[in-house]
Amino acid sequence: MLQAVNLTCIRDERVLFNNLNITVNRGDIVQIEGPNGAGKTSLLRLLAGLSSAEQGEVLWQGERLRQQRETWHRNLLFLGHHPGVKSVLSPLENLTFYHAECDDDQRFAALEAVDLVGFEEIAAAQLSAGQQRRVALARLWLSQAPVWILDEPLTAIDVHGVATLMALFVRHAQQGGMVILTTHQPLPAADWPLRKISLTAGELA
């Protein structure tokens, strides 16, 4: 269980949200909605333990993240709005760097899932922004982390790719994982509950 308890976030002297409470359980797919500037990315970074709130705490299994960072990081896969890939490495080398525990067959299968076959040996710096994004997303097929926190994972992804990702999110949830994401695109219908949390003018709807 991942909990946000009485979170208050202030950026540039503006309150993005105040006394926010969220509970995410295994099997949940949670979409964070809201207009630009509502604090969606800030909330994801707080939930991931990458920044600190003015007030409140984030808890994993009932304990504060800051008291169990190593354990928490083993349970988390965070993909930010920027791809976060190493530009001098190829897609295959990126996956080897982040997922040394996997073999090449698994890495090639992950690249195939995101339509990067034929680009696996090209330096990421030479790929388009959308292709670099897909390199990062390929990690979802390799990750054993139960908690996925994803900032705009559907950016620059076509309709087929969105459907493929949604099916992966559902499978992860069915296996007891958690998915927390932001997106400006509507998610396709799926045979699995989707929770929506709306951030609007500092309020939680």
Side-chain angles (χ1 to χ4, degrees):
M1 182 171 62
L2 180 65
Q3 292 175 286
V5 181
N6 297 326
L7 286 188
T8 294
C9 181
I10 300 174
R11 293 290 182 270
D12 299 324
E13 301 184 352
R14 183 169 68 92
V15 177
L16 297 180
F17 44 83
N18 187 43
N19 293 326
L20 186 149
N21 293 278
I22 300 172
T23 297
V24 184
N25 293 300
R26 291 186 179 274
D28 283 348
I29 301 176
V30 179
Q31 180 182 3
I32 309 295
E33 298 182 310
N36 289 337
K40 300 186 297 297
T41 293
S42 294
L43 175 57
L44 292 193
R45 290 184 61 81
L46 289 172
L47 293 177
L50 299 175
S51 59
S52 300
E54 273 62 35
Q55 294 181 350
E57 293 286 351
V58 179
L59 310 178
W60 169 246
Q61 308 291 38
E63 297 184 23
R64 297 174 179 176
L65 292 190
R66 57 185 173 176
Q67 294 177 336
Q68 51 168 336
R69 291 193 179 278
E70 186 174 336
T71 298
W72 170 238
H73 289 155
R74 287 199 302 268
N75 284 277
L76 171 70
L77 175 62
F78 175 82
L79 297 182
H81 186 60
H82 298 290
V85 301
K86 296 186 178 298
S87 61
V88 298
L89 300 182
S90 69
L92 184 59
E93 289 169 335
N94 267 279
L95 295 187
T96 301
F97 177 83
Y98 286 112
H99 297 282
E101 75 281 2
C102 297
D103 60 34
D104 276 347
D105 286 343
Q106 292 171 304
R107 297 181 195 116
F108 275 109
L111 293 174
E112 183 177 10
V114 294
D115 296 325
L116 283 177
V117 172
F119 297 92
E120 58 270 9
E121 301 291 353
I122 298 174
Q126 299 178 34
L127 301 177
S128 68
Q131 289 170 325
Q132 291 184 35
R133 187 69 177 167
R134 294 205 296 272
V135 175
L137 291 172
R139 295 185 60 197
L140 296 173
W141 273 264
L142 301 175
S143 174
Q144 297 300 311
V147 184
W148 294 354
I149 298 181
L150 314 173
D151 194 0
E152 297 291 343
L154 308 184
T155 299
I157 304 299
D158 61 19
V159 173
H160 171 71
V162 169
T164 299
L165 281 171
M166 192 64 198
L168 181 65
F169 297 159
V170 168
R171 187 179 74 187
H172 185 62
Q174 289 173 332
Q175 294 173 346
M178 309 174 186
V179 182
I180 306 167
L181 74 154
T182 63
T183 176
H184 286 95
Q185 299 173 238
L187 291 171
D191 188 21
W192 193 261
L194 172 66
R195 286 175 54 197
K196 293 187 177 183
I197 295 173
S198 180
L199 296 177
T200 307
E203 301 292 335
L204 178 63

